[in-house]
């Protein structure tokens, strides 16, 4: 065998394929919030609203989310870059949206995608609920679902963008998390009974003046 033969592992770094994404050496792992935690406050900017409904109807300029909610809020994170998982999530949310409202809650979808791309990808679904673009993954970061140095593409096949992991929370008006469902590996469906029960209980406690 020729002595000029070199294994790929022996090649200098400059010969590595440029498009191969590399893991971060200084990794800050994601640390999702869970039930019992409080989500740090965030603002909603009118220019980032994709679909106006429920809590977004009165938004003017930049407003704290705590000024917009007066009942339990189902906060669901989404990305079209989750491929089939993202579409399935939207269909499941669509199926229970009316039930969430009956139980006394509201739904806000937080997506990684700008309006034009979100609308193109979801036009056939005719989604009725409030949706906002999470520019720079700010809200997902506050929830511990996104870290620039712990990218989802480093562990989930088929995901190639810098997006958060999926999660659904039920929040009280003070942003306390009373229900959480974080899906680190994009393999779960919505636990509809548990989610709706959490909305109902939070709404019932609020209506009876119980601090939550």
């Amino acid at each position: 065998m020729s002595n000029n033969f070199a294994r790929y592992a022996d090649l200098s770094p400059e010969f590595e394929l440029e498009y191969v994404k590399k893991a971060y050496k200084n990794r800050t792992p994601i640390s999702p919030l869970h039930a019992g935690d409080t989500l740090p406050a965030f603002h909603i900017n009118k220019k980032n609203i994709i679909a106006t409904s429920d809590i977004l109807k009165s938004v003017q300029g930049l407003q704290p989310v705590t000024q917009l909610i007066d009942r339990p809020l189902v906060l669901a994170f989404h990305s079209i870059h989750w491929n089939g998982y993202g579409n399935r999530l939207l269909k499941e949310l669509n199926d229970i949206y009316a039930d969430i409202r009956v139980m006394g809650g509201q739904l806000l979808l937080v997506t990684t995608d700008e309006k034009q791309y979100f609308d193109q990808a979801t036009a056939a679904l005719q989604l009725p609920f409030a949706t906002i673009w999470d520019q720079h993954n700010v809200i997902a970061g506050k929830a511990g679902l996104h870290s620039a140095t712990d990218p989802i593409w480093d562990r989930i096949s088929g995901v190639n963008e810098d997006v958060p992991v999926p999660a659904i929370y039920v929040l009280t008006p003070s942003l306390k998390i009373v229900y959480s469902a974080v899906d680190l590996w994009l393999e779960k469906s919505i636990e509809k009974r548990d989610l709706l029960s959490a909305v109902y209980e939070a709404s019932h406690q609020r209506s009876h003046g119980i601090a939550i």
Side-chain angles (χ1 to χ4, degrees), residues 80-132:
I80 61 176
H81 300 290
W82 295 335
N83 304 317
Y85 180 99
N87 284 336
R88 175 164 58 84
L89 173 67
L90 293 177
K91 291 177 182 177
E92 292 178 346
L93 290 171
N94 210 8
D95 288 343
I96 64 171
Y97 176 56
D99 293 327
I100 290 173
R101 292 170 62 88
V102 168
M103 295 296 175
Q106 303 170 103
L107 172 60
L108 176 61
L109 185 77
V110 177
T111 182
T112 62
D113 310 294
E114 295 183 66
K115 178 176 173 59
Q116 65 182 99
Y117 304 115
F118 181 86
D119 287 347
Q120 290 172 4
T122 64
L125 299 178
Q126 298 183 335
L127 302 173
F129 38 79
T131 305
I132 60 173

Side-chain angles (χ1 to χ4, degrees), residues 31-81:
S31 182
L33 298 181
H34 294 285
D37 296 326
T38 297
L39 179 67
F42 61 91
H43 289 73
I44 293 178
N45 196 322
K46 187 173 183 178
K47 70 180 182 66
N48 290 340
I49 293 177
I50 295 174
T52 301
S53 179
D54 289 341
I55 69 170
L56 301 183
K57 290 181 178 179
S58 62
V59 173
Q60 298 294 328
L62 186 68
Q63 286 187 250
V65 68
T66 49
Q67 292 182 0
L68 303 171
I69 56 176
D70 60 358
R71 48 192 166 129
L73 176 68
V74 176
L75 188 69
F77 290 84
H78 166 268
S79 177
I80 61 176
H81 300 290

